[in-house]
Amino acid sequence: AKAEGRRCYHFYTSEMDAALQERMELDQAMRQALERNEFHLVYQPRVDLVSGCVLSLEALVRWRHPQWGMISPGRFIPLAEETGFILALGPRILRQACEQIRAWKARGIPTVPVAVNLSAREFQQPDIIERILAALNNTGLDACDLEIEITESAAMSSVEQTIRILTDLNGHGVRVSIDDFGTAYSSLNYLKRLPVHAIKIDQSFVSDMKVDPANHPEDAAIIRAIIGLGETLGMKVIAEGIENTVQRDFLLDHGCLQGQGYLFSRPVPAEAVEQLLVNAKTP
Ligand code: C2E
Ligand code: CA
Ligand code: CA
Ligand code: CA
């Protein structure tokens, strides 16, 4: 038994080594990728669920590695957040989004606001407000051209600081949405004090509505509760991950009027979204 235990232990450490090795490789590659401009943004429309009008776009980062191909942000953003690399990548994402809006405007393309995701670590930087305002200033944009998304868990990790930052951003006219709503444990008392434009229902709740919402009464109840909360607090409610009309109709029936998802559009490169902006009905 002892020998076996030791073997197991040995096996376990080599697994850990492999995982650590992979993380170090990925971290190294990310730093190179920034210099080599391997990161770019794609954009997903947020639409009015009744009319289908494009209301805004969410910018999502993509990494195309020359050998490994596409690496999903779900893999590298959490690592970038842990190692601090996000503090180098984040500003580039913000700048790239602002420059894209400016380019569209310069060409007379009718733009909608673009929402940029800020990770918890970026959001906690003492100069975050200055950085956002500088990004707008440097590209000559208005505050209403840009929106910010922070996750519920990031917003709630240091609530008094969040209230200060959001109040300040709000004062400058920059709208903030709470992402992945329903996955953390927000105190409603705090939520009430946050000057938040919108809450985004986490897609885990929406994904179970795909076939038969009646079979998922708990998720349905949570969705209804979030919609009610948004109404009460005067915040817009946006559903994520809408892939079919069953989900859309369930949401509409319960008073959720805005959403994103593959049903309307996948996240697409700037050139493709441009076509959408030119052709699509905007309000
Ligand atoms: P998120 O902010 O919650 O973004 C929504 C994710 O859902 C995106 O995945 C999007 O492509 C995906 N999605 C959209 N519609 C559907 C749908 O109908 N069905 C399904 N199954 N998925 C859908 P993505 O682009 O892989 O991003 C994953 C996460 O990585 C994001 O979640 C966000 O937390 C993070 N992320 C992505 N881009 C950035 C960025 O520029 N900065 C930061 N800090 N984080 C980012
Ligand atoms: Ca988001
Ligand atoms: Ca989300
Ligand atoms: Ca998410």
Side-chain angles (χ1 to χ4, degrees), residues 229-254:
L229 193 62
E231 271 168 11
T232 306
L233 297 178
M235 299 168 183
K236 298 227 176 322
V237 178
I238 303 166
E240 294 189 296
I242 306 174
E243 295 184 0
N244 67 28
T245 52
V246 176
Q247 292 165 309
R248 183 200 57 197
D249 294 344
F250 174 87
L251 289 158
L252 271 176
D253 284 348
H254 292 89

mmCIF file of all heavy atoms in Angstrom, residues 229-254:
data_model
loop_
_atom_site.group_PDB
_atom_site.id
_atom_site.type_symbol
_atom_site.label_atom_id
_atom_site.label_comp_id
_atom_site.label_asym_id
_atom_site.label_seq_id
_atom_site.Cartn_x
_atom_site.Cartn_y
_atom_site.Cartn_z
ATOM 1 N N LEU A 229 -35.923 42.336 -10.709
ATOM 2 C CA LEU A 229 -34.933 43.144 -9.991
ATOM 3 C C LEU A 229 -34.506 44.336 -10.841
ATOM 4 O O LEU A 229 -34.436 45.473 -10.369
ATOM 5 C CB LEU A 229 -33.732 42.252 -9.684
ATOM 6 C CG LEU A 229 -32.692 42.733 -8.701
ATOM 7 C CD1 LEU A 229 -33.331 42.928 -7.339
ATOM 8 C CD2 LEU A 229 -31.562 41.707 -8.622
ATOM 9 N N GLY A 230 -34.225 44.065 -12.102
ATOM 10 C CA GLY A 230 -33.821 45.122 -13.020
ATOM 11 C C GLY A 230 -34.894 46.194 -13.120
ATOM 12 O O GLY A 230 -34.597 47.393 -13.078
ATOM 13 N N GLU A 231 -36.133 45.741 -13.241
ATOM 14 C CA GLU A 231 -37.244 46.705 -13.329
ATOM 15 C C GLU A 231 -37.316 47.563 -12.079
ATOM 16 O O GLU A 231 -37.428 48.782 -12.145
ATOM 17 C CB GLU A 231 -38.568 45.957 -13.525
ATOM 18 C CG GLU A 231 -38.890 45.724 -14.992
ATOM 19 C CD GLU A 231 -40.032 44.729 -15.184
ATOM 20 O OE1 GLU A 231 -40.714 44.374 -14.193
ATOM 21 O OE2 GLU A 231 -40.236 44.299 -16.337
ATOM 22 N N THR A 232 -37.229 46.902 -10.935
ATOM 23 C CA THR A 232 -37.330 47.614 -9.658
ATOM 24 C C THR A 232 -36.221 48.645 -9.502
ATOM 25 O O THR A 232 -36.442 49.755 -9.040
ATOM 26 C CB THR A 232 -37.256 46.617 -8.489
ATOM 27 O OG1 THR A 232 -38.252 45.617 -8.686
ATOM 28 C CG2 THR A 232 -37.472 47.310 -7.162
ATOM 29 N N LEU A 233 -35.009 48.261 -9.896
ATOM 30 C CA LEU A 233 -33.861 49.133 -9.671
ATOM 31 C C LEU A 233 -33.615 50.083 -10.848
ATOM 32 O O LEU A 233 -32.666 50.860 -10.829
ATOM 33 C CB LEU A 233 -32.604 48.293 -9.416
ATOM 34 C CG LEU A 233 -32.643 47.419 -8.153
ATOM 35 C CD1 LEU A 233 -31.370 46.596 -8.037
ATOM 36 C CD2 LEU A 233 -32.838 48.270 -6.907
ATOM 37 N N GLY A 234 -34.451 50.005 -11.872
ATOM 38 C CA GLY A 234 -34.283 50.900 -13.017
ATOM 39 C C GLY A 234 -33.078 50.556 -13.865
ATOM 40 O O GLY A 234 -32.442 51.439 -14.448
ATOM 41 N N MET A 235 -32.723 49.273 -13.906
ATOM 42 C CA MET A 235 -31.600 48.847 -14.739
ATOM 43 C C MET A 235 -32.136 48.029 -15.900
ATOM 44 O O MET A 235 -33.087 47.274 -15.752
ATOM 45 C CB MET A 235 -30.649 47.960 -13.923
ATOM 46 C CG MET A 235 -30.044 48.667 -12.722
ATOM 47 S SD MET A 235 -29.230 47.481 -11.617
ATOM 48 C CE MET A 235 -28.710 48.585 -10.282
ATOM 49 N N LYS A 236 -31.493 48.191 -17.064
ATOM 50 C CA LYS A 236 -31.880 47.354 -18.188
ATOM 51 C C LYS A 236 -31.440 45.920 -17.910
ATOM 52 O O LYS A 236 -30.478 45.695 -17.185
ATOM 53 C CB LYS A 236 -31.214 47.850 -19.461
ATOM 54 C CG LYS A 236 -31.619 49.255 -19.853
ATOM 55 C CD LYS A 236 -31.963 49.306 -21.312
ATOM 56 C CE LYS A 236 -32.475 50.661 -21.760
ATOM 57 N NZ LYS A 236 -33.340 51.365 -20.830
ATOM 58 N N VAL A 237 -32.153 44.977 -18.496
ATOM 59 C CA VAL A 237 -31.774 43.574 -18.330
ATOM 60 C C VAL A 237 -31.466 42.990 -19.707
ATOM 61 O O VAL A 237 -32.273 43.096 -20.634
ATOM 62 C CB VAL A 237 -32.893 42.770 -17.639
ATOM 63 C CG1 VAL A 237 -32.499 41.302 -17.530
ATOM 64 C CG2 VAL A 237 -33.192 43.347 -16.258
ATOM 65 N N ILE A 238 -30.277 42.420 -19.826
ATOM 66 C CA ILE A 238 -29.814 41.871 -21.098
ATOM 67 C C ILE A 238 -29.571 40.375 -20.905
ATOM 68 O O ILE A 238 -28.921 39.981 -19.939
ATOM 69 C CB ILE A 238 -28.489 42.553 -21.528
ATOM 70 C CG1 ILE A 238 -28.676 44.075 -21.626
ATOM 71 C CG2 ILE A 238 -27.969 41.965 -22.836
ATOM 72 C CD1 ILE A 238 -27.377 44.855 -21.719
ATOM 73 N N ALA A 239 -30.124 39.563 -21.805
ATOM 74 C CA ALA A 239 -29.888 38.122 -21.712
ATOM 75 C C ALA A 239 -28.766 37.730 -22.659
ATOM 76 O O ALA A 239 -28.686 38.226 -23.782
ATOM 77 C CB ALA A 239 -31.157 37.351 -22.045
ATOM 78 N N GLU A 240 -27.898 36.841 -22.190
ATOM 79 C CA GLU A 240 -26.781 36.375 -23.008
ATOM 80 C C GLU A 240 -27.029 34.951 -23.469
ATOM 81 O O GLU A 240 -27.765 34.205 -22.832
ATOM 82 C CB GLU A 240 -25.509 36.317 -22.170
ATOM 83 C CG GLU A 240 -24.992 37.611 -21.688
ATOM 84 C CD GLU A 240 -23.611 37.394 -21.068
ATOM 85 O OE1 GLU A 240 -23.486 36.692 -20.048
ATOM 86 O OE2 GLU A 240 -22.669 37.934 -21.633
ATOM 87 N N GLY A 241 -26.394 34.575 -24.541
ATOM 88 C CA GLY A 241 -26.399 33.167 -24.961
ATOM 89 C C GLY A 241 -27.728 32.706 -25.543
ATOM 90 O O GLY A 241 -28.100 31.547 -25.414
ATOM 91 N N ILE A 242 -28.446 33.613 -26.224
ATOM 92 C CA ILE A 242 -29.717 33.222 -26.853
ATOM 93 C C ILE A 242 -29.409 32.526 -28.178
ATOM 94 O O ILE A 242 -28.886 33.150 -29.103
ATOM 95 C CB ILE A 242 -30.621 34.452 -27.101
ATOM 96 C CG1 ILE A 242 -30.813 35.237 -25.795
ATOM 97 C CG2 ILE A 242 -31.966 34.015 -27.694
ATOM 98 C CD1 ILE A 242 -31.580 36.543 -25.985
ATOM 99 N N GLU A 243 -29.713 31.251 -28.254
ATOM 100 C CA GLU A 243 -29.368 30.488 -29.454
ATOM 101 C C GLU A 243 -30.582 30.127 -30.296
ATOM 102 O O GLU A 243 -30.446 29.776 -31.465
ATOM 103 C CB GLU A 243 -28.585 29.222 -29.074
ATOM 104 C CG GLU A 243 -27.236 29.552 -28.443
ATOM 105 C CD GLU A 243 -26.383 28.337 -28.143
ATOM 106 O OE1 GLU A 243 -26.825 27.212 -28.429
ATOM 107 O OE2 GLU A 243 -25.275 28.539 -27.625
ATOM 108 N N ASN A 244 -31.763 30.164 -29.716
ATOM 109 C CA ASN A 244 -32.936 29.812 -30.524
ATOM 110 C C ASN A 244 -34.165 30.637 -30.126
ATOM 111 O O ASN A 244 -34.134 31.425 -29.173
ATOM 112 C CB ASN A 244 -33.211 28.302 -30.472
ATOM 113 C CG ASN A 244 -33.634 27.839 -29.085
ATOM 114 O OD1 ASN A 244 -34.221 28.604 -28.308
ATOM 115 N ND2 ASN A 244 -33.361 26.591 -28.773
ATOM 116 N N THR A 245 -35.253 30.436 -30.865
ATOM 117 C CA THR A 245 -36.447 31.265 -30.647
ATOM 118 C C THR A 245 -37.207 30.859 -29.378
ATOM 119 O O THR A 245 -37.925 31.685 -28.816
ATOM 120 C CB THR A 245 -37.402 31.168 -31.860
ATOM 121 O OG1 THR A 245 -37.644 29.790 -32.122
ATOM 122 C CG2 THR A 245 -36.788 31.815 -33.090
ATOM 123 N N VAL A 246 -37.012 29.605 -28.931
ATOM 124 C CA VAL A 246 -37.653 29.207 -27.658
ATOM 125 C C VAL A 246 -37.138 30.095 -26.529
ATOM 126 O O VAL A 246 -37.901 30.637 -25.718
ATOM 127 C CB VAL A 246 -37.380 27.714 -27.340
ATOM 128 C CG1 VAL A 246 -37.963 27.333 -25.983
ATOM 129 C CG2 VAL A 246 -37.936 26.820 -28.434
ATOM 130 N N GLN A 247 -35.812 30.253 -26.506
ATOM 131 C CA GLN A 247 -35.194 31.091 -25.478
ATOM 132 C C GLN A 247 -35.631 32.550 -25.634
ATOM 133 O O GLN A 247 -35.996 33.209 -24.657
ATOM 134 C CB GLN A 247 -33.666 31.005 -25.579
ATOM 135 C CG GLN A 247 -33.112 29.644 -25.203
ATOM 136 C CD GLN A 247 -31.670 29.496 -25.663
ATOM 137 O OE1 GLN A 247 -31.335 29.742 -26.814
ATOM 138 N NE2 GLN A 247 -30.813 29.076 -24.747
ATOM 139 N N ARG A 248 -35.594 33.036 -26.857
ATOM 140 C CA ARG A 248 -35.969 34.436 -27.087
ATOM 141 C C ARG A 248 -37.412 34.678 -26.636
ATOM 142 O O ARG A 248 -37.709 35.662 -25.955
ATOM 143 C CB ARG A 248 -35.830 34.809 -28.564
ATOM 144 C CG ARG A 248 -36.155 36.284 -28.825
ATOM 145 C CD ARG A 248 -36.492 36.537 -30.280
ATOM 146 N NE ARG A 248 -37.602 35.697 -30.725
ATOM 147 C CZ ARG A 248 -37.895 35.473 -32.000
ATOM 148 N NH1 ARG A 248 -37.174 36.007 -32.948
ATOM 149 N NH2 ARG A 248 -38.922 34.704 -32.317
ATOM 150 N N ASP A 249 -38.313 33.762 -27.016
ATOM 151 C CA ASP A 249 -39.719 33.965 -26.691
ATOM 152 C C ASP A 249 -39.983 33.869 -25.193
ATOM 153 O O ASP A 249 -40.773 34.631 -24.643
ATOM 154 C CB ASP A 249 -40.587 32.978 -27.469
ATOM 155 C CG ASP A 249 -40.521 33.247 -28.973
ATOM 156 O OD1 ASP A 249 -40.072 34.356 -29.342
ATOM 157 O OD2 ASP A 249 -40.888 32.356 -29.765
ATOM 158 N N PHE A 250 -39.280 32.937 -24.536
ATOM 159 C CA PHE A 250 -39.414 32.854 -23.075
ATOM 160 C C PHE A 250 -39.016 34.186 -22.446
ATOM 161 O O PHE A 250 -39.714 34.728 -21.592
ATOM 162 C CB PHE A 250 -38.551 31.726 -22.506
ATOM 163 C CG PHE A 250 -38.547 31.701 -21.008
ATOM 164 C CD1 PHE A 250 -39.537 31.015 -20.312
ATOM 165 C CD2 PHE A 250 -37.586 32.401 -20.283
ATOM 166 C CE1 PHE A 250 -39.570 31.015 -18.922
ATOM 167 C CE2 PHE A 250 -37.611 32.404 -18.893
ATOM 168 C CZ PHE A 250 -38.605 31.721 -18.217
ATOM 169 N N LEU A 251 -37.879 34.727 -22.889
ATOM 170 C CA LEU A 251 -37.375 35.981 -22.320
ATOM 171 C C LEU A 251 -38.346 37.128 -22.582
ATOM 172 O O LEU A 251 -38.670 37.898 -21.683
ATOM 173 C CB LEU A 251 -35.991 36.295 -22.899
ATOM 174 C CG LEU A 251 -34.890 35.355 -22.392
ATOM 175 C CD1 LEU A 251 -33.706 35.324 -23.337
ATOM 176 C CD2 LEU A 251 -34.456 35.766 -20.983
ATOM 177 N N LEU A 252 -38.810 37.205 -23.826
ATOM 178 C CA LEU A 252 -39.762 38.266 -24.177
ATOM 179 C C LEU A 252 -41.027 38.162 -23.344
ATOM 180 O O LEU A 252 -41.533 39.163 -22.828
ATOM 181 C CB LEU A 252 -40.110 38.188 -25.665
ATOM 182 C CG LEU A 252 -39.203 38.971 -26.604
ATOM 183 C CD1 LEU A 252 -39.590 38.720 -28.053
ATOM 184 C CD2 LEU A 252 -39.234 40.462 -26.274
ATOM 185 N N ASP A 253 -41.539 36.925 -23.201
ATOM 186 C CA ASP A 253 -42.755 36.712 -22.412
ATOM 187 C C ASP A 253 -42.612 37.214 -20.985
ATOM 188 O O ASP A 253 -43.593 37.559 -20.340
ATOM 189 C CB ASP A 253 -43.112 35.218 -22.365
ATOM 190 C CG ASP A 253 -43.726 34.742 -23.669
ATOM 191 O OD1 ASP A 253 -44.071 35.610 -24.492
ATOM 192 O OD2 ASP A 253 -43.831 33.510 -23.860
ATOM 193 N N HIS A 254 -41.356 37.178 -20.489
ATOM 194 C CA HIS A 254 -41.154 37.589 -19.098
ATOM 195 C C HIS A 254 -40.590 38.994 -18.987
ATOM 196 O O HIS A 254 -40.147 39.411 -17.918
ATOM 197 C CB HIS A 254 -40.284 36.566 -18.375
ATOM 198 C CG HIS A 254 -41.007 35.269 -18.208
ATOM 199 N ND1 HIS A 254 -40.955 34.262 -19.154
ATOM 200 C CD2 HIS A 254 -41.853 34.838 -17.249
ATOM 201 C CE1 HIS A 254 -41.717 33.261 -18.765
ATOM 202 N NE2 HIS A 254 -42.278 33.583 -17.620
#
